[in-house]
Amino acid sequence: LLDMTAWMQHWWQALLGGLAGLVVGLPLLRKTDEGRYYSDRFFLMLPVIGQIQRCGMVVDFSRNLATMFASGVPLSQGLEAVRGTMQNAVAARLVDAMLANVMDGGSMSEILRASERVFTPMVTEMVATGEETGEMERVLGLTGDIYQRMLESYVKTMNALVEPILIMLMGGMVGFVFYALLSGMLAVYGI
């Protein structure tokens, strides 16, 4: 504890500068297209947060595209509209690739198969089924409902994990301070 305090007293300017750089730099980085893309990609790789974001993207994509189909909007215009609603830059680029593939005569499921990190294989198969049967509106609505339930489950899981993690962190900090004080007292008495 004393060594850590001495180190922080010696390097406090560097720590403060690094913290200020993070606080100022990360929002500026997210304002660029590439910075936003890579930060969104990083968050998708995180264990629980990535699953929540992935489910949210699937829900947004499938429900918005189902609404476009229900309104009679052509696929290309529907994909353009859905692309505008995507909050995640990785998903937005994927929708751009889907749009380009559809305009070239391909299918949406071809692009989805190549992007298992963003959309799960189940979504790919659902979209492929919708393309084959011609019932995209119904299939996308069903996909949105399934992933909405999964999203709610992941959020409940994350909420349940927060409390034990905080207790472990607090216990670790208290234990570290206790150990530092106890070892200092024992060192004074030569034990």
Side-chain angles (χ1 to χ4, degrees), residues 15-35:
L15 289 171
L16 193 61
L19 184 63
L22 281 175
V23 168
V24 172
L26 287 179
L28 289 176
L29 181 69
R30 283 206 39 94
K31 287 188 179 184
T32 65
D33 289 338
E34 287 300 311

Side-chain angles (χ1 to χ4, degrees), residues 99-118:
L99 179 60
N101 195 41
V102 166
M103 296 303 272
D104 289 339
S107 67
M108 293 189 308
S109 58
E110 291 172 16
I111 301 298
L112 290 174
R113 276 193 182 88
S115 66
E116 288 186 11
R117 286 188 156 185
V118 181

Side-chain angles (χ1 to χ4, degrees), residues 105-140:
S107 67
M108 293 189 308
S109 58
E110 291 172 16
I111 301 298
L112 290 174
R113 276 193 182 88
S115 66
E116 288 186 11
R117 286 188 156 185
V118 181
F119 289 105
T120 62
M122 185 173 109
V123 176
T124 303
E125 294 305 318
M126 295 288 277
V127 169
T129 301
E131 288 174 335
E132 290 170 8
T133 61
E135 295 191 20
M136 284 293 288
E137 177 188 343
R138 191 172 69 78
V139 170
L140 287 171

Side-chain angles (χ1 to χ4, degrees), residues 56-135:
M57 287 186 317
V58 170
V59 169
D60 288 345
F61 171 78
S62 57
R63 288 202 171 154
N64 289 333
L65 196 55
T67 302
M68 293 296 156
F69 278 120
S71 301
V73 175
L75 178 60
S76 60
Q77 291 176 357
L79 284 173
E80 286 177 15
V82 168
R83 194 256 184 252
T85 64
M86 300 304 284
Q87 299 294 318
N88 190 295
V90 177
R93 283 191 184 180
L94 188 62
V95 174
D96 285 340
M98 268 189 247
L99 179 60
N101 195 41
V102 166
M103 296 303 272
D104 289 339
S107 67
M108 293 189 308
S109 58
E110 291 172 16
I111 301 298
L112 290 174
R113 276 193 182 88
S115 66
E116 288 186 11
R117 286 188 156 185
V118 181
F119 289 105
T120 62
M122 185 173 109
V123 176
T124 303
E125 294 305 318
M126 295 288 277
V127 169
T129 301
E131 288 174 335
E132 290 170 8
T133 61
E135 295 191 20

